[in-house]
Amino acid sequence: MAKYITLRSLPELWFMPLNVLITFVIGSVLGWLLVKITKAPIGLRGVIMGCCAAGNLDNMLLVIVLAVCKEKGSPFGVSDVCTGNGMAYVSLSVAIGSLYIWSYVCNIVRIYSSKDSDEAKPDVLPEGAESAGEKNESAKCRTGPPLPSEDPSLGESQHLELNCSVSEEKAKVPFPENIKRSFIKKPSIRRLFAPAIIGAIVGLMIGIIPPFRKVLIGDRAPLHAVEDSADMVGKAAIPIITLILGANLLKGLKGSKVPLLVIIGIVAIRYIILPILGVVIIKYAIHFGLVRSDPLSQFVLLLQFALPPANSVATMSQLFGVGLTECSVIMLWTNALATVSLAVWSTFFIWFVR
């Protein structure tokens, strides 16, 4: 970011953070609908919504854009210019994506993976499977003292029914209210300071503040060695992230009890519904002049809708201890099918922006 994002270029890229947010919001809503339709297991609901919401804006986007720019006869012009502009777009996408993942998506995974969450409770419980807490509540409804009432004509049974109905009313919390309460009750500000976010903030500050940029960025900068070191570490991190993804996929090869409808639903959302919605959104954004006329910028915006699930979702499943094997199975299938999906959509996107 420090090398490719400047104070002058930042205002021109204002739509990119909004576009990333749009992909996350639409994906999470579609994931919530998928959870409701498939009636997924409790521990898997947060992972499903996370996979639908967050795309792999890290190494996947970087590899694709650099490969397209370095290809002979690239549709986006000279290789060096394309690489410089592409790195600016990708760097900003990675930074904004990290912020959204560890604030918005992380809390969704936490809330819907929590066993004591109102939304995480199964719709139908088998006979004899009710928890001790529910048994206690039932006992209260059956044997608890009647509520005091101003109307003496009400019988004891009617008082008990009123008591039970009030308890049930409190237990059923609407979807938006449930999210709001969970965010307020269990704030996770610490996760906003994940290493990726700290690096993005530092890089952005160095890039847009001229004194920092003069000292650190450029061949003649006094602390040019710092930039070289960061560049080498960053390039080495690309294959390392890919290896970590491969290690997570190994668990998926052993198989798991992930419902087939869940896998089909996630694949449909990430590789069919989101890209189609992305084409419509970017088309109207271009029409109203919200997006730059640069074809490479439009290509990156479109590509953000067609990426496989983010690697960070697997990290979150380990962090909260839910759906580890199931998440690796989902990652295995989505990344395997991404080889076909990304090839098809990348070709279409290049034709669309030319």
Side-chain angles (χ1 to χ4, degrees):
M1 287 195 67
K3 188 175 182 180
Y4 296 102
I5 300 294
T6 64
L7 188 61
R8 182 179 297 178
S9 65
L10 194 59
E12 299 176 356
L13 302 175
W14 71 270
F15 187 78
M16 193 158 290
L18 177 61
N19 190 68
V20 176
L21 179 61
I22 290 172
T23 65
F24 277 53
V25 172
I26 295 177
S28 61
V29 171
L30 293 173
W32 179 75
L33 291 174
L34 178 62
V35 164
K36 290 297 181 182
I37 293 171
T38 59
K39 296 182 179 179
I42 298 173
L44 198 56
R45 295 182 182 186
V47 172
I48 293 171
M49 292 186 66
C51 289
C52 293
N56 190 345
L57 295 168
D58 299 330
N59 58 323
M60 191 70 72
L61 189 61
L62 182 63
V63 169
I64 294 172
V65 172
L66 290 181
V68 171
C69 287
K70 293 180 179 179
E71 187 72 22
K72 290 183 179 179
S74 172
F76 302 117
V78 183
S79 177
D80 293 339
V81 177
C82 177
T83 301
N85 293 335
M87 285 298 295
Y89 304 146
V90 171
S91 299
L92 187 59
S93 298
V94 171
I96 299 300
S98 298
L99 180 61
Y100 293 155
I101 285 173
W102 290 105
S103 57
Y104 178 70
V105 177
C106 184
N107 278 287
I108 286 179
V109 175
R110 173 179 59 81
I111 292 167
Y112 279 88
S113 297
S114 176
K115 292 184 180 181
D116 59 356
S117 170
D118 294 322
E119 284 292 319
K121 290 180 182 177
D123 297 326
V124 180
L125 285 175
E127 264 185 62
E130 60 179 329
S131 64
E134 287 171 337
K135 287 180 180 177
N136 291 338
E137 288 296 323
S138 301
K140 276 185 185 178
C141 287
R142 289 192 296 267
T143 62
L147 291 173
S149 174
E150 296 178 0
D151 187 0
S153 62
L154 288 173
E156 184 177 343
S157 61
Q158 289 172 309
H159 281 297
L160 291 174
E161 287 176 10
L162 179 61
N163 192 11
C164 292
S165 64
V166 170
S167 300
E168 289 176 2
E169 214 172 286
K170 289 181 179 178
K172 294 180 181 179
V173 183
F175 166 66
E177 186 66 23
N178 182 29
I179 295 288
K180 181 181 176 182
R181 288 185 184 181
S182 298
F183 269 86
I184 294 173
K185 184 180 178 182
K186 299 177 182 178
S188 55
I189 304 298
R190 289 182 301 171
R191 297 190 186 102
L192 290 178
F193 296 97
I197 297 178
I198 295 174
I201 294 173
V202 172
L204 183 62
M205 290 177 61
I206 294 173
I208 65 175
I209 299 177
F212 290 165
R213 188 175 185 84
K214 290 178 181 178
V215 172
L216 291 167
I217 307 299
D219 295 334
R220 297 181 180 180
L223 300 179
H224 178 59
V226 176
E227 181 196 354
D228 288 342
S229 301
D231 186 59
M232 287 188 289
V233 172
K235 288 179 179 177
I238 299 173
I240 289 173
I241 293 174
T242 307
L243 288 172
I244 292 173
L245 174 62
N248 287 331
L249 297 184
L250 287 176
K251 296 179 182 178
L253 294 173
K254 299 177 182 178
S256 177
K257 296 180 180 179
V258 182
L260 182 61
L261 282 177
V262 169
I263 296 176
I264 294 174
I266 294 174
V267 170
I269 289 171
R270 290 233 60 97
Y271 298 148
I272 299 175
I273 301 175
L274 274 176
I276 292 174
L277 291 175
V279 171
V280 175
I281 291 170
I282 299 303
K283 181 178 180 180
Y284 279 97
I286 295 171
H287 177 73
F288 290 108
L290 302 177
V291 178
R292 297 178 62 190
S293 58
D294 180 15
L296 180 59
S297 173
Q298 298 171 9
F299 174 72
V300 174
L301 291 173
L302 288 166
L303 204 57
Q304 290 170 353
F305 285 91
L307 297 170
N311 300 339
S312 301
V313 179
T315 305
M316 293 172 194
S317 70
Q318 296 174 352
L319 180 66
F320 300 117
V322 290
L324 276 71
T325 308
E326 291 83 354
C327 184
S328 65
V329 172
I330 293 171
M331 290 289 180
L332 175 65
W333 283 105
T334 51
N335 280 274
L337 294 173
T339 56
V340 177
S341 174
L342 283 174
V344 173
W345 282 113
S346 296
T347 305
F348 175 77
F349 293 157
I350 291 173
W351 170 84
F352 180 80
V353 300
R354 291 183 67 178

